[in-house]
Amino acid sequence: MQLQDSTSFPERDDTHSRSWPFWSATLRVLLLLGMLTWWLSVLARVTTNVPSSVDAPSLLRPGVTQLPDSRVEFVGDWVVQTIGTESFVATRVAGDRLRFEFVGTELGIVVRAGPDAGSISVRIREGTRNDSASREVSTVLNLERSSARVETLTLGKSLAPGVHVAEIRNEDSAELALAAIIVHGRPGIWWAWLPPLGLGLLGLGASLHAWWNALVTALGWWKLGTES
């Protein structure tokens, strides 16, 4: 005689095992959405809309601007000097200055340094002349050297992208001779952010695909489809 084992074990509830991948995928999607939202808010601040050359023709843009230039305002007794193939705008009066507006993130000058040169002060205001809430960067440079030579000096870098106002002032009764103004734009324009933004969107798409698969598995739709 055979004995029939009537002992029955309760069926294991795998609801938790099915729902955990769904909630994990949901969390990844929410985190990626939050990161992309923050990223776009930062992107809007660091890629300021810059006026076009038609709307603002007086702005110095990235590149080398040879002096004199009509977009640069000279205040004081300035003269044009030509030495060989190089041209300079020079003064020997303390307090003489030049002002200009530029768009970029770094500013430099080509200047003649030497025993006849002295100190200059540089002020860069991040924002237009009418922007009272703008931040100002100032520095003093000594151009006196043992021998005369032409140097390229950096006046400001890591500036916020946008329009800025710069003023260069001759502090001594020594010679200040400028040949050119150099403006750099880093980061350049908004397309520089497209690769990381594209990768973020691809990651979001992959996370949404994983989330959908986890949802189908958690609801048992895939299992019902295979049984039918």
Side-chain angles (χ1 to χ4, degrees), residues 181-215:
I181 298 171
I182 304 174
V183 177
H184 294 291
R186 302 187 183 94
I189 50 179
W190 62 271
W191 57 260
W193 296 82
L194 279 182
L197 187 60
L199 290 177
L201 291 176
L202 286 176
L204 179 61
S207 297
L208 286 173
H209 183 265
W211 173 82
W212 175 254
N213 288 336
L215 176 64

Side-chain angles (χ1 to χ4, degrees), residues 211-222:
W211 173 82
W212 175 254
N213 288 336
L215 176 64
V216 169
T217 303
L219 296 178
W221 294 349
W222 176 260

Side-chain angles (χ1 to χ4, degrees), residues 91-107:
T91 182
R92 286 182 174 269
V93 180
D96 284 3
R97 59 194 182 275
L98 64 149
R99 289 192 295 260
F100 55 91
E101 293 184 347
F102 70 97
V103 53
T105 57
E106 186 173 328
L107 178 65

Side-chain angles (χ1 to χ4, degrees), residues 4 11 16 23 44 88 102 122 134 154-155 157 185 203 212 227:
Q4 184 177 2
E11 185 178 352
H16 177 72
W23 291 114
F88 298 88
F102 70 97
V122 181
S134 59
T154 299
L155 305 183
K157 57 183 178 180
W212 175 254
E227 289 179 352

Side-chain angles (χ1 to χ4, degrees), residues 36-105:
L36 285 173
T37 302
W38 172 82
W39 201 351
L40 290 175
S41 66
V42 173
L43 185 63
R45 291 197 297 268
V46 300
T47 54
T48 306
N49 186 23
V50 176
S52 65
S53 57
V54 176
D55 298 331
S58 62
L59 290 178
L60 298 186
R61 299 180 181 274
V64 179
T65 301
Q66 299 293 334
L67 298 177
D69 190 280
S70 60
R71 294 170 295 177
V72 180
E73 177 187 1
F74 292 90
V75 179
D77 187 16
W78 294 84
V79 296
V80 178
Q81 298 177 347
T82 302
I83 302 177
T85 59
E86 294 181 308
S87 178
F88 298 88
V89 178
T91 182
R92 286 182 174 269
V93 180
D96 284 3
R97 59 194 182 275
L98 64 149
R99 289 192 295 260
F100 55 91
E101 293 184 347
F102 70 97
V103 53
T105 57

